[in-house]
């Protein structure tokens, strides 16, 4: 019923424009330009389809969003910022990616960890990274962490929480080391340490009990690692390895993929002994007959004399 | 340990609610959840104690027995679709062994070396899992529990900084006066 109504309205709208309006207005009505923000036209249809499936007892095959049901954390220490993340991406209750990378590059001195819908976090990081790139070119100065924070939160607020990206932005700029956490609806906090994602409660409990101001790099990395491990082992949406990124005031950045691999399956896989029968040595298949067919005839042809005009 | 807040949704209505009580000579029971159901459970525990004394056979209920009995009662109520909306922690010391068990409003129960209920499942259990060791001394255990309660006070909105600690060992039960724990909000 809803679809029918929309259809008739469109037609009458076109009919009204047709007779009197100049050409460019008619063209606009026929080819409407897409406006900013999200288009929720199909929402009613999707709801209706789901209800119909449920009534008929068919399990709906709508695709499940890939989430980084996650633990990410960040912490400011005396000479910089440490960001940590786990590496499990889930789709529903299944592990979609056992070793995904959640801490992404924003600027040479700013990195960002993302929790929530994997596609959303990746695109947001890409977006702010390219915007900061352009800003650096036009201003000629190093990017500031607060700029990344502002761009991200304005973008997320514009989409009213429909972009499901919870981010931790950390970096060092001319004003010192900074850490911000940004929620999907567009609010952000400037914090000395924070965690986001489904494993955030497990991780924040570790951070709250071990944080102290002005830590050394070893202490901060140890705290971030313990917080992520706590998330990995106590939260089902987080798992696999722990990645650590250290951004120092000196400008040096260390990104370690797989800083700690408590769930390494290599040891188990190496122990698997394939039965000898499955490993076939070359030359064990007996050749009974071989024949060679000429597929094409290769002829040498002398090129004719070039035509003189 | 338990904080002493009885809240009414978002209102911190009663700040001197005692959520830990003694059961017999060797057991402590602490609860989380509905206060009126907790009062009912308190009455049940009293009935069990009285029955124990009336039988007068010089055998008192062990903590394990209190835990089993409460589990049965909670599960029975859930099966009647009328649960007692609480999570209980039962601790005791009997026969030279410490006992710690927990029961839920749906009757899920288990014995463990460390337990937590409510938001403590998400926040305190990770800390306990990391820091608990076999054969801890009382001071270490008290410090660990205090650490957990501090983290919970930092991150749970529905708590207050007035914590009641209790311990039970071979000398008996002791419930300490509620007191605040030191916090740093900077």
């Amino acid at each position: 019923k809803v679809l029918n109504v929309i259809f008739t309205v469109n037609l009458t709208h076109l009919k009204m424009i047709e007779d009197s309006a100049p050409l460019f207005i008619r063209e606009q009505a026929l080819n409407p330009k897409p406006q900013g923000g999200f288009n929720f036209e199909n929402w009613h249809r999707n709801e209706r389809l789901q209800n119909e499936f449920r009534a008929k007892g068919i399990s709906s095959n709508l695709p499940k969003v890939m989430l980084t049901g996650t633990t990410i954390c960040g912490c400011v220490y005396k000479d910089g910022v440490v960001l940590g993340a786990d590496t499990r991406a889930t789709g529903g209750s299944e592990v979609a990616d056992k070793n995904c990378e959640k801490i992404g590059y924003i600027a040479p001195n700013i990195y960002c960890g993302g929790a929530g819908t994997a596609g959303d976090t990746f695109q947001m990081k890409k977006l702010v990274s390219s915007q900061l790139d352009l800003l650096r070119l036009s201003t000629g100065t190093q990017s500031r962490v607060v700029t990344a924070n502002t761009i991200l939160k304005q973008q997320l607020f514009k989409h009213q929480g429909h972009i499901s990206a919870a981010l931790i932005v950390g970096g060092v700029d001319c004003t010192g080391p900074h850490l911000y956490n940004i929620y999907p609806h567009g609010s952000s906090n400037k914090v000395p340490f924070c965690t986001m994602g489904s494993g955030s409660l497990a991780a924040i409990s570790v951070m709250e009990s071990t944080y102290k101001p002005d830590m050394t790099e070893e202490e901060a990395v140890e705290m971030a690692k313990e917080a992520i491990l706590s998330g990995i082992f106590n939260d089902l949406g987080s798992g696999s390895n722990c990645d650590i990124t250290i951004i120092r005031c000196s400008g040096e950045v260390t990104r370690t993929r797989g800083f700690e691999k408590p769930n390494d399956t290599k040891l188990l896989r190496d122990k698997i002994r394939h039965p000898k029968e499955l490993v076939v040595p070359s030359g064990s298949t007996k050749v009974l007959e071989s024949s060679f067919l000429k597929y094409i005839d290769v002829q040498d042809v002398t090129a004719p004399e070039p035509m003189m005009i | 340990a338990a904080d002493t807040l009885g809240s009414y949704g978002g209102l911190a209505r009663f700040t001197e609610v005692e959520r830990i009580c003694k059961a017999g000579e060797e057991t402590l029971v602490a609860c989380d959840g509905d206060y009126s159901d907790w009062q009912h459970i308190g009455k049940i525990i009293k009935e069990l104690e009285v029955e124990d004394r009336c039988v007068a056979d010089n055998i008192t209920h062990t903590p394990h027995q209190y835990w089993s009995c409460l589990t049965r009662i909670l599960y029975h109520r859930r099966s009647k679709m009328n649960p007692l909306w609480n999570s209980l922690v039962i601790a005791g010391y009997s026969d030279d062994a410490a006992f710690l068990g927990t029961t839920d409003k749906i009757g899920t129960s288990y014995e463990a070396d460390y337990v937590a209920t409510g938001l403590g499942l998400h926040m305190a259990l990770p800390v306990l899992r990391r820091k608990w060791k076999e054969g801890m001394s009382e001071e270490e255990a008290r410090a660990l529990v205090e650490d957990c309660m501090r983290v919970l006070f930092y991150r749970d909105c529905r708590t207050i900084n007035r914590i009641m600690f209790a311990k039970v060992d071979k000398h008996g039960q002791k419930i300490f006066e509620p007191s605040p724990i030191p916090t740093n909000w900077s």
Side-chain angles (χ1 to χ4, degrees):
Chain A
K1 268 190 202 154
V2 176
L3 286 172
N4 281 335
V5 169
I6 292 174
F7 196 53
T8 30
V9 165
N10 269 341
L11 276 184
T12 52
H13 178 69
L14 283 174
K15 209 166 185 289
M16 274 160 52
I17 298 273
E18 206 179 294
D19 301 351
S20 53
L23 183 65
F24 70 92
I25 290 185
R26 266 184 277 152
E27 272 181 2
Q28 259 179 19
L30 286 168
N31 312 314
K33 279 205 186 75
Q35 288 170 338
F38 285 131
N39 184 350
F40 287 103
E41 267 175 19
N42 283 334
W43 187 76
H44 283 291
R45 179 204 73 174
N46 290 344
E47 283 289 299
R48 191 167 50 82
L49 280 174
Q50 274 203 312
N51 290 332
E52 278 180 11
F53 284 148
R54 217 174 293 137
K56 288 194 185 143
I58 309 167
S59 62
S60 66
N61 292 320
L62 293 173
K64 282 205 188 76
V65 170
M66 177 158 116
L67 294 171
T68 55
T70 295
T71 314
I72 48 174
C73 76
C75 139
V76 174
Y77 68 95
K78 200 160 55 149
D79 299 315
V81 174
V82 177
L83 295 173
D86 75 305
T87 59
R88 176 184 284 185
T90 54
S93 57
E94 221 182 277
V95 176
D97 188 350
K98 288 186 284 188
N99 201 357
C100 72
E101 195 169 358
K102 299 186 189 183
I103 303 182
Y105 166 90
I106 305 287
N109 57 324
I110 307 173
Y111 284 76
C112 172
T117 308
D120 287 341
T121 59
F122 180 71
Q123 293 296 340
M124 291 307 294
K125 287 182 219 165
K126 218 168 82 153
L127 190 84
V128 76
S129 171
S130 53
Q131 285 196 16
L132 285 183
D133 234 357
L134 292 169
L135 259 176
R136 270 203 303 281
L137 286 168
S138 66
T139 60
T141 58
Q142 196 193 43
S143 305
R144 297 202 187 185
V145 190
V146 72
T147 320
N149 171 53
T150 311
I151 295 172
L152 281 166
K153 78 178 195 187
Q154 284 174 353
Q155 189 69 11
L156 288 172
F157 180 73
K158 194 163 71 171
H159 288 89
Q160 287 295 294
H162 289 290
I163 294 187
S164 170
L167 307 161
I168 297 185
V169 181
V172 172
D173 54 33
C174 57
T175 52
H178 301 287
L179 186 70
Y180 292 88
N181 66 356
I182 308 169
Y183 288 87
H185 285 267
S187 63
S188 80
N189 304 302
K190 187 172 186 322
V191 280
F193 63 93
C194 58
T195 64
M196 302 287 262
S198 58
S200 63
L201 284 115
I204 199 70
S205 63
V206 166
M207 287 192 135
E208 284 279 9
S209 41
T210 53
Y211 176 77
K212 48 187 207 288
D214 289 333
M215 289 188 288
T216 63
E217 187 179 302
E218 287 79 31
E219 290 173 333
V221 169
E222 182 65 22
M223 181 172 97
K225 183 198 81 169
E226 283 298 317
I228 298 296
L229 288 182
S230 169
I232 286 173
F233 290 116
N234 294 301
D235 174 46
L236 297 172
S238 317
S240 300
N241 316 324
C242 168
D243 293 343
I244 295 276
T245 301
I246 311 169
I247 307 156
R248 299 184 187 87
C249 282
S250 60
E252 203 190 312
V253 173
T254 313
R255 302 183 71 185
T256 322
R257 275 277 282 152
F259 183 81
E260 175 101 355
K261 288 191 182 176
N263 296 310
D264 204 356
T265 49
K266 188 171 182 304
L267 295 167
L268 292 170
R269 283 177 198 270
D270 285 343
K271 281 195 192 139
I272 298 172
R273 302 220 167 289
H274 293 287
K276 265 203 319 245
E277 288 83 7
L278 287 178
V279 181
V280 181
S282 69
S284 39
T285 310
K286 209 163 136 196
V287 179
L288 297 175
E289 182 189 312
S290 69
S291 61
F292 181 69
L293 295 167
K294 247 169 63 170
Y295 203 82
I296 48 167
D297 245 334
V298 178
Q299 286 177 344
D300 258 333
V301 177
T302 48
E305 288 277 333
M307 201 161 77
M308 290 304 201
I309 303 168
Chain B
D3 71 315
T4 59
L5 178 65
S7 34
Y8 215 63
L11 168 66
R13 183 84 175 77
F14 303 106
T15 53
E16 282 156 34
V17 162
E18 298 202 344
R19 301 198 280 124
I20 307 182
C21 85
K22 295 183 184 173
E25 304 291 316
E26 301 165 332
T27 317
L28 289 170
V29 181
C31 92
D32 156 12
D34 189 46
Y35 191 46
S36 59
D37 283 342
W38 165 236
Q39 289 171 326
H40 182 71
I41 289 173
K43 284 202 199 101
I44 292 172
I45 292 172
K46 276 238 162 30
E47 279 175 27
L48 289 171
E49 281 179 5
V50 164
E51 189 195 328
D52 209 8
R53 256 180 255 142
C54 285
V55 172
D57 55 0
N58 282 337
I59 305 171
T60 51
H61 289 313
T62 63
H64 193 280
Q65 287 168 352
Y66 274 110
W67 171 75
S68 297
C69 186
L70 286 168
T71 307
R72 288 294 105 234
I73 293 168
L74 289 173
Y75 185 71
H76 180 62
R77 285 290 298 258
R78 157 225 117 120
S79 305
K80 288 199 292 187
M81 296 305 282
N82 182 14
L84 288 164
W85 206 277
N86 294 109
S87 304
L88 303 176
V89 172
I90 296 110
Y93 195 93
S94 115
D95 293 330
D96 290 326
F99 173 85
L100 185 62
T102 178
T103 332
D104 213 349
K105 62 175 165 301
I106 48 177
T108 318
S109 66
Y110 53 91
E111 296 172 47
D113 294 319
Y114 42 83
V115 297
T117 59
L119 209 62
L121 284 170
H122 297 104
M123 308 263 256
L125 262 189
V127 179
L128 287 166
R129 279 182 187 153
R130 276 182 68 227
K131 293 206 176 138
W132 186 86
K133 327 187 270 291
E134 187 80 44
M136 287 173 86
S137 70
E138 191 194 315
E139 291 79 30
E140 288 174 337
R142 166 80 188 232
L144 179 54
V145 169
E146 197 178 300
D147 221 4
C148 292
M149 297 306 285
R150 182 176 310 117
V151 170
L152 284 168
F153 177 56
Y154 280 147
R155 291 284 164 169
D156 183 6
C157 298
R158 308 271 191 261
T159 55
I160 51 170
N161 194 1
R162 187 168 181 269
I163 315 284
M164 176 187 250
F165 288 89
K167 72 166 188 183
V168 60
D169 55 19
K170 62 176 190 260
H171 305 296
Q173 312 132 319
K174 181 158 170 56
I175 299 182
F176 297 94
E177 278 301 308
S179 60
I181 44 176
T183 56
N184 180 1
W185 288 92
S186 61

